Structure formats: structure tokens, C-alpha cells
Amino acid sequence: MPQRRPRRTRRPVSIHDVADAAGVSPTTVSHVLSGRRPVNAATAARVRQAVNRMGYVPASLARSLQAGSTSVIGLLIPDITNGFYAELAKGVEDAAHHIGYSVILCNTEFDPAREDHYLDLIRGRFIDGMVYAAGTPPTEARLESLLGRFPIAVVDEDVTGLPQSLSAMADHYQGGRLAGEHLRQLGHRRAAVLTGPALLPSAAQRARGFREAFEGDVIQLEGTWLEQSGAELMLQCLDSDGFDRTAVFAANDQMALGALAVLHERGLAVPGDISLVGFDDIRVASLCAPPLTTVHQPAYDIGRTATAQLLQYVANGEEPPTSRHLLPVHLEVRASTGPAPA
Amino acid sequence: MPQRRPRRTRRPVSIHDVADAAGVSPTTVSHVLSGRRPVNAATAARVRQAVNRMGYVPASLARSLQAGSTSVIGLLIPDITNGFYAELAKGVEDAAHHIGYSVILCNTEFDPAREDHYLDLIRGRFIDGMVYAAGTPPTEARLESLLGRFPIAVVDEDVTGLPQSLSAMADHYQGGRLAGEHLRQLGHRRAAVLTGPALLPSAAQRARGFREAFEGDVIQLEGTWLEQSGAELMLQCLDSDGFDRTAVFAANDQMALGALAVLHERGLAVPGDISLVGFDDIRVASLCAPPLTTVHQPAYDIGRTATAQLLQYVANGEEPPTSRHLLPVHLEVRASTGPAPA
DNA sequence: TTGTATGCGTTATCAT
DNA sequence: ATGATAACGCATACAA
């Protein structure tokens, strides 16, 4: 004999309440709302009226539990204030919203603990999938227990040797090559490369592409992806004995902006004394002074593509196949690069 | 024909499976994991071993259903690629993550339908609360059915005459005044104001503050918050008969950047011919050419404060009180403003 | 056309 | 110290 609910707090209206009010069973209410089976017109009208009068909204939580999926995915990125990730996020959100999914913003600030915390969302099945663009080195160790067991799209990073499902990234190597060729054709022979974390394939590929196309004398300094890091590395360069570089390739635009600020501080002309190339082509790259020559990356498309791919399978309860999307890049030549000084 | 697998799909390990494996009841497993009541050490060890061996992770969905809350909030904003909202989002995420909450990114692109869709998340109780920074005019109609019934913090907007719970915003009026005073002191007497949507209190307050402090001849053009809109309004100004303004106040930095691009295109010097002031102080404002004089808004703090306030009550199951936080602004004087031309 | 019973996976309540 | 049972609120297989 069912006991009446305690009713301590103002409990939300449930499907049961509506059913009682309309004089039907919860099943019928459910079907009126879902349309998954025919309901007598008059009955349906009564139910709808009760729904409106009582302001009933189905508890999506209960619905999700029953359905076994939440229609929510995660987007794991290191820094939403970086224009690249913001564009990426927009692409992810667009693709997700397009088929009724929502996106949890997992902003990690490059903090492994925070990353782990957010990965627990998928372990606990609160999210149906994850778009993973961590930007942190120990990517593999952190992911290996997840890939293959959960729907994850690895984005912007070329994680190899793992049972990964989906991936989408820009052609980092080719981007590096474009930067290198450009500077070589301008007559530069001695360059500095301010890279991202050496353990990241993306950072390594950009640097390698640059070196192979530049074919000159290259010194390489490792940093994080942050503006601050670009500034520090640039300072380190300038303060080293016998610094003689005429060109700098920064692993992303944020670092390039940091480097640019330092060059300005030191009274060095860009590109008069030193040419500077970035990577990403975030909005500010075309607005800063001088406008930055940089490798354009289709951030929005990367996010949109990866998410659409992921959800195509997740939404059907299928297991995503292994795939690797390589998106094209191109060089945006602006005013931060010029002929090598004599 | 014998059935191989009774289950259609590989079902995740449940608390029941662990209980069976450990030879205890689900209740005990639950208590071992939560520590909410004493469990025999040996029993607990057996349970923990089973948990590890089977890779059990509690279904947070079921947990949420039982608990009546999800530990997720929404963040509704129009445009994550706008540096202001990105900073705001970072503040929200920080405050939420700090006490174990996650954030759903509700990016609306100023689309009312999309906004409504996301507001349904709170109606369906999939999220415990919402940080609302829509930036769209019909804020009130859209919100009136929600405020007071659900935990919502209205951010960056001064919604008056509504049963709102929490709100946090910059001092828009004072910001407008700072811009107006600055230009007046530089000798400007004729200005153009490129405002945001007239129906938005924030936009109206910024414009009013400007007019009251500037005390000169002001023409006012209404736009959206977008860069494109700033460009269009600037063009419209320049092409009007007898245009004679020496200063422009844009309602936000994005619009200022749009206006700046148009001024450059037309060969007008900034600030030589026209001085320009923005609002927000997003990162690019200090990097563009010339660096933009602008009203600084504490975007990160607005997000963090509002979220911390909201969650303080939500996490305790209490109803948030009505409150209104007004955060201070200040003027960042850079190179886009100068003395009025003779 | 409609209703009953059951399950989704967890935790709180009550019992032992 | 541990377990059985009843919710949480919905959807669905099965019955009528």
C-alpha cells in the first residue's frame, strides 16, 4: 500500500500529478507529450490543458536515466579566453545545439587535477561524449583508460598509438612549413622557434615543419601556450650572448603577442629588425600593431566537424569508428614579416 | 536457440553488480563509497576491491535524480568569442568548479529561439541554476516566468521591475560618465554615440551617463553589440550630410573596433581627426592600433561574484534573496583619444 | 484507446 | 553492522 509522499518542500509538478488532474494514467500523459502512440483527441486535449494549467515540465533527469543518455557532451579546453579555443567552442556548441545536445564547458587552465575532475563526468556517464582539446602534455596517460571505452573526439592534437576513436586537427606540420618557407623566401637564415610543450605532437610538428622548410639556422625554446610564456622566451633570446636572429616563429598567436610586446619594449622594429610569425590566426592577430603574419587554423570548423562526427554515432548509440581528420591551413601574410635586414 | 547475452548492449557496471560480486547489499556498497555510516573494515575492503576490479563508477544521473539536484548550472551568453563574455565565462567556471559544480555553455548568438531552448534546461530541472547574461532586448518577457521560480543570477544587465533574485553588473552609468568627462576635458564638443540595443538598460545607461557628463552636442545611433554593427554605424555617420563629430563613444569594444576599421579605411586619423572610446577593455583593446581608450569592466569578477552568490544558496537548497551588486569601472586612457582638432 | 507493472541506478528510511 | 524496501520521475513492454 503506497504511502503518500512526505511533501516537505514545494515539490515540482510530476507526470503523476498531471495524470491525476486529467483523470488519466501517467502513461497517457507521456504519450500525449511524446506523440509516440495515438491518443484520443478529447483525452489529449484534457491532458494538454492540465499540463498548461499546472505548468508541468518533464524532469529531463528522469528521462535521461530511463533513456540511458543525457544529450549532453563535454568540451575540455585549457583556456576559453584564448580566441582559438573560443572559436572552437563556438563550433562545438553550434554542432551540438543543432541536434539538441548541450555542452558542458570544461575549462582546465592547464591544470591536470581539473582535467581529471572533468573526465570523471564521462566516467560517471553524466555526459554522452567528450570533445577533448586539452593542450596539456600527459595527454596519453590521462586518456588511455578512456579511449575506446567512451565516445571521445580528440581535437587539435595528434595523439598516436592509442585506441582513439575520432580526431580532428589542423595540419600542424604543413603550417610550420608555410611559416618556414615564407621566412626563407624573405631571405632569413637565422631564426628562433618559440614552441609549445615539447611532449605535445602538435607543438613538435609545427616546429619540425618549420625547421624542414626553413633550412637555415634554428634555435628552439620550449614554453607553454601562454602569452606570458612567449614574452619570457623572447626575453631569454634577446638576453643570450651573441643573439643574431632575424626571425621568430611562435607556436601560437598568444605567444607571438607576448614576444611582440617584448620586442617593442626593447625598441626593436618589427619587421625591420626582426620578423615575427604566429600560429592560429585569432582575431587579434589582424588587429595588433603590426598586424601579425600567421598560420590560419580553421578553429570553428575543427570544433564543428569533430562534434558532428562524434554525435552522429553517439546519438545512435553506436560506437564511433577510428578516424583522423586533417584540416588544411594557410598562411596569412601581414605586416609583421619582411625581408631579412642586411 | 540459446541466448548468448541476455543484455542487448554492454551495460555499465552498477552498484548492484558490485554488491553481488562482493557478497553484500547495494546499501553497503553505497555506504562504503560515501562513508556516511560505519562499515566493517573487512567488508569495506572486499567492496573496494570489487569496485576497482570491475571499474565501477556511480551513475551520477541516478544520484542526481535521487538527490534532486544535478550540480550543474547554465551560463547563458550571446557570444563566447567576445572577449568580455569569455572572461565572464572563466569567472563563472572558476566559481562553479570551486565547489564542484559544472557549467553548461548556453551560447545564443543573440537568437531568441536558442535562448528559449536553453532556458528549458532550467524548467526541466536539468540544471540547478542559471547565470543569465543574454544581451538581448526582450530580456524581461523571456525571464518573467522564470525569475522567482528558479535560481537565476542576472548578470551584466540591470533588469528592473522584476522579481529577480540575484544580479551583478558593472556601473554602466558611471562608465558612460567617465568616457564623457574624458572627451569633454580634451576639448571635444560634438560627439557620436554608437549604442547597443536601446531596450537594454545597460546600453541606455552607458549612453545616458555619457551625455550627462559630456554636456555637448551628441548624436546617437543604435546598433547591436557586434563589430559589424559598429562598422555600419560609423559608416552611416561619416556618410551623413555635414558630419562634424570629433569624438565617438562606442557602447562596447567590439563596436569600437568595427568603427576603428572604418575610420582607417576612410583615411581618418585616430585620434588626430576623431577620438574614439570603447567599453569593456577586452584584451585586444590594448593591442590594437592605436590602443583603445576604453572603460574597464571587471568581467571575470562579475562572473565569479554572481556565480558564487548564486551557488551559495543553490547548494544549500535555499532560495536566493534579491540583491544587486554594482561593480566599479574605471577609464583606461590609451592612444585612441586626444585633444579636439582646431 | 488506455492502463498496469517494471526498470533505469542510486540513496534514504526503516528494520534487524 | 548490514539489509530490504521504497522512493526519485519518467518511459516502455505487456495487458486489456
Coordinates of all heavy atoms in Angstrom, one line a residue, chain A residues 38-90:
Chain A
P38 N -0.9 6.8 -30.6 CA -2.2 7.6 -30.7 C -2.9 7.8 -29.4 O -3.0 6.9 -28.6 CB -3.0 6.7 -31.7 CG -2.1 5.7 -32.3 CD -1.0 5.5 -31.3
V39 N -3.5 8.9 -29.3 CA -4.3 9.2 -28.1 C -5.6 9.9 -28.6 O -5.6 10.7 -29.5 CB -3.6 10.2 -27.1 CG1 -4.5 10.5 -26.0 CG2 -2.3 9.5 -26.6
N40 N -6.7 9.5 -28.0 CA -8.0 10.1 -28.3 C -7.9 11.6 -28.2 O -7.3 12.2 -27.2 CB -9.0 9.5 -27.3 CG -10.4 10.2 -27.5 OD1 -10.6 11.3 -27.2 ND2 -11.3 9.4 -28.0
A41 N -8.5 12.2 -29.2 CA -8.3 13.7 -29.3 C -8.8 14.4 -28.0 O -8.2 15.3 -27.5 CB -9.1 14.2 -30.5
A42 N -10.0 14.0 -27.5 CA -10.6 14.7 -26.4 C -9.7 14.5 -25.1 O -9.4 15.4 -24.4 CB -12.0 14.1 -26.1
T43 N -9.2 13.2 -25.0 CA -8.3 12.9 -23.9 C -7.0 13.8 -24.0 O -6.6 14.4 -23.0 CB -7.9 11.4 -23.9 OG1 -9.1 10.6 -24.0 CG2 -7.2 11.1 -22.7
A44 N -6.5 13.8 -25.1 CA -5.3 14.6 -25.3 C -5.5 16.0 -25.0 O -4.6 16.7 -24.3 CB -4.8 14.5 -26.8
A45 N -6.6 16.6 -25.3 CA -6.9 18.0 -25.0 C -7.0 18.2 -23.5 O -6.4 19.1 -23.0 CB -8.2 18.4 -25.7
R46 N -7.7 17.2 -22.8 CA -7.7 17.4 -21.4 C -6.3 17.3 -20.8 O -6.0 18.1 -19.9 CB -8.6 16.2 -20.8 CG -10.0 16.4 -20.7 CD -10.7 15.6 -19.6 NE -10.1 14.4 -19.2 CZ -10.3 13.2 -19.9 NH1 -11.0 13.2 -21.0 NH2 -9.8 12.1 -19.4
V47 N -5.5 16.5 -21.3 CA -4.2 16.3 -20.7 C -3.4 17.6 -21.0 O -2.8 18.2 -20.1 CB -3.4 15.1 -21.4 CG1 -2.0 15.2 -21.0 CG2 -4.1 13.8 -20.9
R48 N -3.4 18.1 -22.2 CA -2.7 19.3 -22.5 C -3.1 20.5 -21.7 O -2.3 21.3 -21.2 CB -2.9 19.6 -24.0 CG -1.7 19.1 -24.9 CD -1.8 19.6 -26.3 NE -2.4 18.5 -27.1 CZ -1.7 17.5 -27.7 NH1 -0.4 17.4 -27.4 NH2 -2.2 16.6 -28.4
Q49 N -4.4 20.5 -21.4 CA -4.9 21.6 -20.6 C -4.3 21.5 -19.2 O -3.9 22.5 -18.6 CB -6.4 21.5 -20.6 CG -7.1 22.8 -20.0 CD -8.6 22.6 -19.9 OE1 -9.2 21.7 -20.5 NE2 -9.3 23.4 -19.1
A50 N -4.3 20.3 -18.7 CA -3.8 20.1 -17.3 C -2.3 20.5 -17.3 O -1.8 21.1 -16.4 CB -4.0 18.7 -16.9
V51 N -1.6 20.1 -18.3 CA -0.2 20.4 -18.4 C 0.0 21.9 -18.4 O 0.9 22.4 -17.6 CB 0.4 19.8 -19.7 CG1 1.8 20.4 -20.0 CG2 0.5 18.3 -19.7
N52 N -0.7 22.6 -19.1 CA -0.5 24.1 -19.2 C -1.0 24.7 -17.8 O -0.3 25.6 -17.3 CB -1.4 24.7 -20.3 CG -0.8 24.3 -21.7 OD1 0.4 24.0 -21.8 ND2 -1.7 24.2 -22.7
R53 N -2.1 24.3 -17.4 CA -2.6 24.9 -16.1 C -1.6 24.7 -15.0 O -1.4 25.6 -14.2 CB -4.0 24.2 -15.8 CG -4.6 24.8 -14.5 CD -6.1 24.5 -14.5 NE -6.4 23.1 -15.0 CZ -6.3 22.0 -14.3 NH1 -5.9 22.0 -13.1 NH2 -6.7 20.9 -14.9
M54 N -1.0 23.5 -14.9 CA -0.2 23.2 -13.8 C 1.3 23.6 -14.1 O 2.2 23.5 -13.2 CB -0.3 21.7 -13.4 CG -1.7 21.2 -13.2 SD -1.8 19.4 -13.0 CE -1.2 19.3 -11.3
G55 N 1.6 24.0 -15.3 CA 2.9 24.3 -15.6 C 3.9 23.2 -15.6 O 5.0 23.3 -15.1
Y56 N 3.4 22.0 -16.0 CA 4.2 20.8 -16.0 C 5.3 20.8 -17.0 O 5.1 21.1 -18.2 CB 3.4 19.6 -16.2 CG 4.2 18.3 -16.4 CD1 5.0 17.8 -15.4 CD2 4.1 17.7 -17.6 CE1 5.7 16.7 -15.6 CE2 4.9 16.5 -17.8 CZ 5.7 16.0 -16.8 OH 6.4 14.9 -17.0
V57 N 6.5 20.6 -16.6 CA 7.7 20.4 -17.5 C 8.3 19.0 -17.1 O 8.7 18.9 -15.9 CB 8.7 21.5 -17.4 CG1 9.9 21.2 -18.3 CG2 8.0 22.8 -17.7
P58 N 8.5 18.1 -18.0 CA 9.0 16.8 -17.7 C 10.4 17.0 -17.1 O 11.2 17.8 -17.5 CB 9.1 16.1 -19.1 CG 8.1 16.8 -19.9 CD 8.1 18.2 -19.4
A59 N 10.7 16.2 -16.1 CA 12.1 16.2 -15.5 C 13.0 15.5 -16.4 O 13.0 14.3 -16.6 CB 12.0 15.5 -14.1
S60 N 13.9 16.3 -17.0 CA 14.8 15.7 -18.0 C 15.8 14.7 -17.4 O 16.3 13.8 -18.0 CB 15.5 16.8 -18.8 OG 16.0 17.8 -18.0
L61 N 16.0 14.9 -16.1 CA 16.9 14.0 -15.4 C 16.3 12.6 -15.4 O 17.0 11.6 -15.7 CB 17.0 14.5 -14.0 CG 18.3 14.2 -13.3 CD1 19.5 14.8 -14.1 CD2 18.3 14.9 -11.9
A62 N 15.1 12.4 -15.0 CA 14.4 11.1 -15.0 C 14.4 10.5 -16.4 O 14.6 9.3 -16.6 CB 13.0 11.2 -14.4
R63 N 14.1 11.4 -17.4 CA 14.0 11.0 -18.7 C 15.4 10.4 -19.2 O 15.5 9.4 -19.8 CB 13.7 12.2 -19.6 CG 13.0 11.9 -20.9 CD 12.6 13.2 -21.5 NE 11.1 13.3 -21.6 CZ 10.5 14.3 -22.2 NH1 11.2 15.3 -22.7 NH2 9.2 14.4 -22.2
S64 N 16.4 11.1 -18.8 CA 17.8 10.7 -19.2 C 18.1 9.3 -18.5 O 18.7 8.5 -19.2 CB 18.8 11.7 -18.7 OG 18.7 12.9 -19.5
L65 N 17.7 9.2 -17.3 CA 18.0 7.9 -16.6 C 17.4 6.8 -17.3 O 18.0 5.7 -17.5 CB 17.6 8.0 -15.1 CG 17.8 6.8 -14.3 CD1 19.3 6.5 -14.2 CD2 17.2 6.9 -12.9
Q66 N 16.2 7.0 -17.7 CA 15.4 6.0 -18.4 C 16.0 5.7 -19.8 O 16.2 4.6 -20.2 CB 13.9 6.4 -18.5 CG 13.2 6.0 -19.7 CD 12.9 4.5 -19.8 OE1 12.8 3.9 -18.7 NE2 12.8 3.9 -21.0
A67 N 16.4 6.8 -20.4 CA 16.9 6.6 -21.8 C 18.3 6.1 -21.9 O 18.7 5.6 -22.9 CB 16.8 8.0 -22.5
G68 N 19.0 6.4 -20.8 CA 20.4 5.9 -20.8 C 21.4 6.9 -21.4 O 22.5 6.6 -21.7
S69 N 20.9 8.1 -21.7 CA 21.8 9.1 -22.2 C 21.2 10.5 -21.9 O 20.0 10.7 -21.7 CB 21.9 9.0 -23.7 OG 20.7 9.4 -24.4
T70 N 22.1 11.5 -21.8 CA 21.7 12.8 -21.3 C 21.6 13.9 -22.3 O 21.2 15.0 -22.0 CB 22.8 13.2 -20.3 OG1 24.1 13.3 -21.0 CG2 22.9 12.3 -19.1
S71 N 22.0 13.6 -23.5 CA 22.1 14.7 -24.6 C 22.9 15.8 -24.1 O 22.7 17.0 -24.4 CB 20.6 15.2 -24.9 OG 19.9 14.2 -25.5
V72 N 24.0 15.5 -23.4 CA 25.0 16.5 -23.1 C 26.4 15.9 -23.4 O 26.6 14.7 -23.1 CB 24.9 16.8 -21.5 CG1 26.0 17.8 -21.1 CG2 23.5 17.4 -21.2
I73 N 27.2 16.8 -23.9 CA 28.6 16.4 -24.1 C 29.5 17.4 -23.4 O 29.0 18.4 -22.9 CB 29.0 16.3 -25.6 CG1 28.9 17.7 -26.2 CG2 28.2 15.3 -26.3 CD1 29.4 17.8 -27.6
G74 N 30.7 17.0 -23.2 CA 31.7 17.9 -22.6 C 32.6 18.5 -23.6 O 32.9 17.9 -24.6
L75 N 33.1 19.7 -23.3 CA 34.2 20.3 -24.2 C 35.3 20.6 -23.3 O 35.2 21.5 -22.4 CB 33.7 21.5 -24.9 CG 34.8 22.4 -25.5 CD1 35.6 21.6 -26.6 CD2 34.3 23.7 -26.1
L76 N 36.4 19.9 -23.4 CA 37.5 20.1 -22.5 C 38.6 20.9 -23.2 O 39.2 20.5 -24.2 CB 38.1 18.8 -22.0 CG 39.0 18.8 -20.8 CD1 38.9 17.6 -20.0 CD2 40.5 19.0 -21.3
I77 N 38.9 22.1 -22.7 CA 39.9 23.0 -23.3 C 40.7 23.7 -22.1 O 40.2 23.7 -21.0 CB 39.2 24.1 -24.1 CG1 38.2 24.9 -23.3 CG2 38.6 23.5 -25.4 CD1 37.5 26.0 -24.1
P78 N 41.8 24.2 -22.4 CA 42.6 24.8 -21.4 C 42.3 26.2 -21.0 O 42.4 26.6 -19.9 CB 44.1 24.7 -21.9 CG 43.9 24.6 -23.4 CD 42.6 24.0 -23.7
D79 N 41.7 27.0 -22.0 CA 41.6 28.4 -21.8 C 40.6 29.0 -22.7 O 40.9 29.3 -23.8 CB 43.0 29.1 -22.0 CG 42.9 30.6 -21.7 OD1 41.9 31.0 -21.2 OD2 43.9 31.2 -22.1
I80 N 39.4 29.3 -22.2 CA 38.3 29.8 -23.0 C 38.6 31.3 -23.4 O 38.0 31.8 -24.4 CB 37.0 29.7 -22.3 CG1 35.8 30.1 -23.2 CG2 37.0 30.6 -21.0 CD1 35.6 29.2 -24.3
T81 N 39.5 31.9 -22.7 CA 39.8 33.3 -23.1 C 40.8 33.4 -24.3 O 41.1 34.5 -24.8 CB 40.3 34.1 -21.9 OG1 41.6 33.7 -21.6 CG2 39.4 34.1 -20.8
N82 N 41.4 32.3 -24.7 CA 42.2 32.2 -25.9 C 41.2 32.1 -27.1 O 40.4 31.2 -27.2 CB 43.1 31.0 -25.8 CG 43.9 30.8 -27.1 OD1 43.5 31.2 -28.2 ND2 45.1 30.2 -26.9
G83 N 41.4 33.1 -28.0 CA 40.4 33.2 -29.1 C 40.3 31.9 -29.9 O 39.3 31.6 -30.4
F84 N 41.4 31.2 -30.0 CA 41.3 29.9 -30.7 C 40.3 29.0 -30.1 O 39.5 28.4 -30.8 CB 42.7 29.3 -30.8 CG 42.7 27.9 -31.3 CD1 42.5 27.7 -32.7 CD2 42.8 26.8 -30.5 CE1 42.5 26.4 -33.2 CE2 42.8 25.5 -31.0 CZ 42.6 25.3 -32.4
Y85 N 40.4 28.8 -28.8 CA 39.5 27.9 -28.1 C 38.1 28.4 -28.1 O 37.1 27.7 -28.1 CB 40.0 27.6 -26.7 CG 41.3 26.7 -26.7 CD1 42.5 27.3 -26.3 CD2 41.3 25.4 -27.2 CE1 43.7 26.5 -26.3 CE2 42.4 24.7 -27.2 CZ 43.6 25.2 -26.8 OH 44.8 24.5 -26.8
A86 N 38.0 29.7 -28.0 CA 36.6 30.3 -28.1 C 35.9 30.0 -29.4 O 34.8 29.7 -29.4 CB 36.7 31.8 -27.8
E87 N 36.7 30.2 -30.5 CA 36.1 29.8 -31.8 C 35.8 28.3 -31.9 O 34.8 27.9 -32.4 CB 37.2 30.2 -32.9 CG 37.2 31.6 -33.3 CD 35.9 32.0 -34.1 OE1 35.3 31.2 -34.7 OE2 35.7 33.3 -34.1
L88 N 36.7 27.5 -31.4 CA 36.5 26.1 -31.3 C 35.2 25.8 -30.6 O 34.4 25.0 -31.0 CB 37.7 25.4 -30.7 CG 37.7 23.9 -30.6 CD1 38.2 23.3 -31.9 CD2 38.5 23.4 -29.4
A89 N 35.1 26.4 -29.4 CA 33.9 26.2 -28.6 C 32.6 26.6 -29.3 O 31.6 25.9 -29.2 CB 34.0 27.0 -27.3
K90 N 32.7 27.7 -30.1 CA 31.5 28.1 -30.8 C 31.1 27.0 -31.8 O 29.9 26.7 -32.0 CB 31.8 29.4 -31.5 CG 30.6 30.1 -32.2 CD 31.0 31.4 -32.7 CE 30.0 32.0 -33.7 NZ 30.4 33.3 -34.2

